[in-house]
Amino acid sequence: MNFTEGQIYILIKDSITFLLTAAGILLASRGLSTWREQMKGTKEFDASYNLNYAVLKLRDAIRHVRNPAIWNAESNRAIRYAKEKYPERSNDPEIAKDSTKYVYEMRWDEIVNAYREIESHQLAAEVLWGSEILRKIKPLNDKVNQLRNAIEQNLYPELRTKERGKIDEIIYNHGTDIEDDDFGKEVSKAIAEINDFIKEKLKYKL
């Protein structure tokens, strides 16, 4: 089949147009893929930072709850806290007579607030990494539940199912450092496992 010069010109033009179009589509596809990877990396970093920050806030809240010292200033804050939270009992002299339970209630609010932050960021982490993050957080949840149960048994003897010494080992830090005692070490181990998991997920992203 013989082609005229005009037909050859059109064929060459169409071929070049096709190649340029294909190249443009390929570049656009690669650009979109790169953009998606960047977005995923940003989301992973944000989720990791926020979750890790909330976990460390929970660590500090646990430390505060387990501090065996209750100073007068904290007792006075706890009395004001109780009167504001329970206005119907604001004139009850028992509040000022025994403020310890309100000291622990006030301290526990810090744990509740940290937990809310963890839950808000945990969902994003689960979307990115699957349910494994839930398994990593569970040991820390268990320690918090154990601490709450021990505090309740300490404040309300009618609920007591453990020996007083066992309760004190959980509630109070007995070392010169926050994590010197067994319970504190267990909390630190649970937090370290979460941190290590997050670092492993991000080591190729940073």
Side-chain angles (χ1 to χ4, degrees):
M1 181 181 293
N2 296 323
F3 294 96
T4 65
E5 289 185 7
Q7 289 174 325
I8 293 173
Y9 173 77
I10 292 173
L11 286 172
I12 294 173
K13 180 181 177 182
D14 290 344
S15 298
I16 293 173
T17 301
F18 172 79
L19 291 173
L20 290 175
T21 301
I25 292 173
L26 180 61
L27 290 173
S29 176
R30 288 181 177 177
L32 181 60
S33 177
T34 301
W35 177 78
R36 284 175 177 167
E37 284 296 318
Q38 290 174 342
M39 288 297 294
K40 186 174 185 292
T42 299
K43 287 180 179 179
E44 285 194 85
F45 180 84
D46 289 345
S48 301
Y49 176 87
N50 292 330
L51 179 59
N52 203 40
Y53 183 79
V55 168
L56 294 181
K57 283 185 67 174
L58 178 59
R59 176 202 63 188
D60 290 345
I62 293 172
R63 287 175 174 175
H64 187 203
V65 168
R66 298 189 71 231
N67 185 351
I70 299 178
W71 307 105
N72 288 336
E74 188 177 22
S75 292
N76 292 334
R77 287 199 309 273
I79 292 170
R80 292 194 298 271
Y81 164 89
K83 290 181 176 181
E84 291 175 2
K85 188 171 182 178
Y86 309 105
E88 71 280 2
R89 297 184 54 204
S90 59
N91 296 320
D92 187 348
E94 292 299 319
I95 291 179
K97 190 178 297 185
D98 183 15
S99 63
T100 301
K101 65 177 63 177
Y102 302 110
V103 167
Y104 279 101
E105 188 174 340
M106 186 171 63
R107 289 180 178 183
W108 196 262
D109 280 351
E110 296 181 27
I111 288 183
V112 171
N113 292 334
Y115 243 112
R116 285 174 181 162
E117 287 194 35
I118 288 175
E119 288 177 347
S120 68
H121 302 306
Q122 179 179 288
L123 182 60
E126 188 178 359
V127 169
L128 290 167
W129 304 325
S131 61
E132 188 177 359
I133 185 63
L134 303 182
R135 293 193 292 274
K136 293 297 181 180
I137 291 176
K138 186 180 183 303
L140 181 59
N141 291 342
D142 292 342
K143 302 315 295 182
V144 172
N145 289 332
Q146 190 177 352
L147 178 59
R148 181 185 61 191
N149 182 264
I151 290 173
E152 288 176 348
Q153 293 193 38
N154 178 55
L155 296 176
Y156 304 98
E158 64 273 17
L159 301 177
R160 194 166 296 167
T161 60
K162 297 179 180 179
E163 297 178 6
R164 183 56 192 258
K166 296 294 185 181
I167 293 173
D168 288 350
E169 288 176 3
I170 296 172
I171 295 176
Y172 306 121
N173 168 47
H174 295 280
T176 56
D177 194 11
I178 298 297
E179 279 81 31
D180 271 353
D181 61 285
D182 290 340
F183 187 84
K185 289 177 181 177
E186 290 168 1
V187 171
S188 294
K189 180 181 177 182
I191 290 174
E193 288 180 356
I194 297 172
N195 290 339
D196 290 344
F197 175 81
I198 291 174
K199 289 177 182 177
E200 181 67 23
K201 291 296 182 181
L202 287 181
K203 70 179 181 180
Y204 297 116
K205 301 291 182 182
L206 299 178

